[in-house]
Amino acid sequence: MNAVTVLAKISEHRTDRMVNGNFSELPAFLAPRPGLDSGYMIAQYTAAALTMELRGMAVPASADTVATSAGQEDVVSNAYLAALKACRAARKLSHVVAIEVMCAVQALDLLAPRSPSPAAEALRARIRETVPTVDADRGFHADLEHIAELVRSGEALRIVENVIGPLSR
């Protein structure tokens, strides 16, 4: 759980740096018209909220134990609860990473005509097949779910590895 939380914190921090016009060459919140459009402001709030939720989930399930079976079992590992927390945490992490990827793809569009790496371009092109560039405020739920599924299924990783070769695991 701690590793998942740390990954979420890293991903959310990178998202914050992209949407924060004080730290990047990009318009505030990656909005085409900052001040008129909210851009990815709420998406970054969502990533921050998910990250904070993961921090709360990082307490080991085994830390909460009680005696059971008429005192015969003094330690209960809570393995089921631990597995359930891990599954929920992985799903939340996939959404935090998807928000980062969603913002990164928008950032690449805003930085045109500069070219990203071939691997980043391949992933950007795949995402743009179904997730359009943001030109005005709109809902991101469908975009987020699509990108999160690319992350969870491993397709995003395969796209990158098809360009750069296998990453060591």
Side-chain angles (χ1 to χ4, degrees):
M1 290 297 296
N2 285 338
V4 168
T5 302
V6 169
L7 288 173
K9 286 170 58 175
I10 292 168
S11 180
E12 187 281 325
H13 189 68
R14 288 190 299 236
T15 299
D16 175 68
R17 292 300 173 155
M18 281 186 277
V19 301
N20 187 338
N22 295 319
F23 292 103
S24 70
E25 303 172 34
L26 302 162
F29 306 110
L30 305 173
R33 295 179 313 263
L36 296 175
D37 291 319
S38 298
Y40 287 90
M41 178 190 303
I42 301 304
Q44 192 270 327
Y45 281 8
T46 302
L50 288 167
T51 300
M52 288 186 284
E53 190 173 352
L54 284 166
R55 286 178 184 165
M57 293 174 67
V59 174
S62 61
D64 188 21
T65 186
V66 295
T68 60
S69 300
Q72 296 178 57
E73 303 288 334
D74 60 331
V75 176
V76 178
S77 69
N78 289 323
Y80 173 76
L81 178 59
L84 189 60
K85 283 176 64 172
C87 183
R88 288 177 180 158
R91 188 157 186 88
K92 290 177 191 312
L93 175 61
S94 74
H95 283 98
V96 173
V97 171
I99 290 168
E100 179 188 359
V101 170
M102 187 171 65
C103 288
V105 168
Q106 179 77 5
L108 291 174
D109 290 347
L110 292 168
L111 289 170
R114 291 186 247 178
S115 300
S117 72
E121 177 54 30
L123 184 57
R124 188 202 68 76
R126 171 61 183 89
I127 289 169
R128 286 294 180 237
E129 289 174 12
T130 52
V131 176
T133 300
V134 174
D135 295 321
D137 282 347
R138 61 181 171 83
F140 292 122
H141 180 263
D143 300 345
L144 176 59
E145 288 301 324
H146 173 74
I147 297 169
E149 183 54 33
L150 292 176
V151 170
R152 282 191 298 268
S153 71
E155 184 177 346
L157 177 61
R158 283 190 296 279
I159 290 166
V160 169
E161 287 184 329
N162 284 341
V163 175
I164 65 170
L167 296 171
S168 61
R169 293 181 169 82

